[in-house]
Amino acid sequence: MTDSCQTRRMYGHDYAVPGTYEVTIVVADRRPVFGEIVGTTKNGGEKPHLKPSPLGQTVLEKEIPKIHHYYPQVDIWQVCLMPDHLHLIIRINQPLPKGKHLGIVVGAFKGGISRAWWQLDTTVSAASAVESRPPLFEPNYNDHILMRDGQLDNWKRYLRDNPLRYMMRREYPDLFQRTLCITVGNTRYSAFGNMLLLRQPEKHQVFFHRRTGGVPTENTDFWKAESQRLISAANSGDVLVTPGISECEKRIKNMALEQKLRMIHVQAAPIGRYWKPERSRFEACAHGSLLILAPWPEDMPDFASDYERFHYLNRLTEAICAISHTTNVAVQGLRLSHGG
């Protein structure tokens, strides 16, 4: 079984030439076939880590080494195996042979794991036809091309801390609800939703002026191209960050809410002790795909116009997009130094 298709992050990019990629492969229906996360985030306990299943052990010991064996031009720089998905940082050091590219490499890797799963799964007859065997993985995969300064380090830290974040979600459910004080850098916010979205390595600012070239931005080719880029990135697991003020920002915000895409929404209205968002945002918070941030009123300047308020909130979204694994983020005294 091979799967040469991929959800490409950059159309027109040559995936056969040297480059560095973060690749995410997801098990169909999110079945935890690779093992379970054990340990604790609390002091004195064993650090969270994956206890691999027989299939997980096979992936680590046999299937991953096959990549370099069959494609010596390719190195695996980092592996993060989770119960229902896996991440790889893949380095292509030399051009791949003619007709080969990253999709072929990953497809063959997925095929090898699937064959190992069929051999280990006693519910599937070894003699059964290939067509009757259930698929192990979701179709395709996601990739990020690691080109920007600091991007590789952010992803390495993010993958190392994946088991920790998994256990944080279990041990600290309040991180997914409300807090009256979260400090990002030197800015204080009230927050509601999934705090761990702040540490996602890939965040995109959604910023549109009301008018472009003298016409409403929603009527321009720029809007068509940029909206497609943003939604495509969000479908790949990236986080959109926006105050949702201009018409185009509102459209992206509403699409993200409807599709349960990851998003951080920065709003001017304060979040009090008994405040709750309207239904669509509340459901997205419960789903874990939304974080709502509201800067403390006493920290906000007095705006002379809506235009000033618009740019102030967009400056905050720009700063949130720039958060890396080195940025100080604290939730009521709990440092999110290991991200989410």
Side-chain angles (χ1 to χ4, degrees):
M1 170 184 170
T2 60
D3 182 356
S4 60
C5 298
Q6 61 177 311
T7 303
R8 291 195 175 186
R9 301 285 305 155
M10 184 181 293
Y11 289 96
H13 177 76
D14 188 347
Y15 282 81
V17 301
T20 307
Y21 306 90
E22 185 280 326
V23 168
T24 302
I25 304 169
V26 180
V27 175
D29 300 322
R30 289 285 186 171
R31 291 166 290 181
V33 297
F34 295 134
E36 63 176 327
I37 300 298
V38 297
T40 180
T41 66
K42 298 171 183 177
N43 292 335
E46 188 178 25
K47 291 183 178 180
H49 62 280
L50 180 79
K51 181 181 178 181
S53 66
L55 178 61
Q57 203 70 40
T58 297
V59 170
L60 295 171
E61 295 179 354
K62 296 182 179 180
E63 296 304 324
I64 288 174
K66 286 180 182 178
I67 296 177
H68 182 73
H69 175 77
Y70 288 109
Y71 296 95
Q73 305 88 351
V74 176
D75 285 329
I76 304 302
W77 279 4
Q78 191 161 334
V79 177
C80 175
L81 190 63
M82 297 293 285
D84 58 7
H85 66 282
L86 64 98
H87 302 275
L88 301 173
I89 294 182
I90 298 178
R91 173 64 188 176
I92 299 178
N93 294 306
Q94 300 173 5
L96 292 171
K98 185 176 181 179
K100 305 296 184 180
H101 55 74
L102 181 66
I104 297 291
V105 175
V106 175
F109 174 62
K110 291 173 66 177
I113 298 174
S114 294
R115 286 188 292 273
W117 178 58
W118 293 331
Q119 293 171 1
L120 291 167
D121 188 353
T122 58
T123 65
V124 180
S125 170
S128 63
V130 172
E131 292 77 9
S132 68
R133 293 169 177 168
L136 174 60
F137 294 108
E138 290 184 355
N140 308 326
Y141 64 92
N142 293 324
D143 73 86
H144 292 90
I145 305 172
L146 307 185
M147 297 187 296
R148 300 193 306 271
D149 289 344
Q151 195 177 18
L152 176 60
D153 287 341
N154 283 343
W155 269 109
K156 284 182 175 179
R157 179 63 175 266
Y158 183 80
L159 298 189
R160 282 198 302 269
D161 293 338
N162 238 354
L164 179 69
R165 286 192 304 275
Y166 182 100
M167 195 59 67
M168 286 180 74
R169 288 193 290 269
R170 180 182 300 173
E171 295 181 343
Y172 298 98
D174 287 346
L175 286 175
F176 299 86
Q177 299 176 20
R178 179 202 320 272
T179 180
L180 299 181
C181 182
I182 177 171
T183 303
V184 181
N186 296 317
T187 303
R188 296 179 295 179
Y189 297 87
S190 299
F192 192 100
N194 183 356
M195 313 299 173
L196 299 180
L197 293 178
L198 288 166
R199 289 297 194 189
Q200 167 66 26
E202 303 289 340
K203 297 184 286 292
H204 302 262
Q205 183 180 12
V206 180
F207 176 36
F208 294 95
H209 287 282
R210 290 182 171 87
R211 301 180 71 83
T212 301
V215 300
T217 299
E218 60 268 26
N219 296 333
T220 64
D221 290 337
F222 169 73
W223 154 251
K224 293 178 183 178
E226 185 65 2
S227 62
Q228 290 175 359
R229 182 189 72 82
L230 290 167
I231 295 301
S232 175
N235 276 316
S236 295
D238 296 356
V239 175
L240 304 179
V241 187
T242 183
I245 297 175
S246 69
E247 174 61 27
C248 289
E249 291 172 4
K250 289 177 182 176
R251 291 188 181 192
I252 294 291
K253 182 191 75 173
N254 291 334
M255 281 190 278
L257 290 174
E258 290 170 4
Q259 300 176 37
K260 294 294 190 292
L261 303 176
R262 291 177 170 182
M263 179 172 64
I264 298 174
H265 182 209
V266 182
Q267 66 176 37
I271 295 175
R273 185 172 300 278
Y274 302 107
W275 178 92
K276 284 186 179 179
E278 75 286 356
R279 181 174 179 178
S280 62
R281 288 196 296 167
F282 184 87
E283 290 178 347
C285 288
H287 181 263
S289 57
L290 178 65
L291 171 63
I292 304 169
L293 293 178
W296 281 23
E298 52 265 47
D299 292 350
M300 294 176 64
D302 293 327
F303 301 115
S305 64
D306 288 341
Y307 182 81
E308 287 187 2
R309 172 174 160 270
F310 169 80
H311 280 282
Y312 172 77
L313 291 176
N314 272 296
R315 285 195 297 273
L316 292 182
T317 66
E318 184 179 11
I320 290 167
C321 285
I323 290 174
S324 73
H325 66 270
T326 62
T327 306
N328 178 27
V329 177
V331 181
Q332 292 182 323
L334 173 66
R335 271 184 67 89
L336 293 185
S337 58
H338 299 288

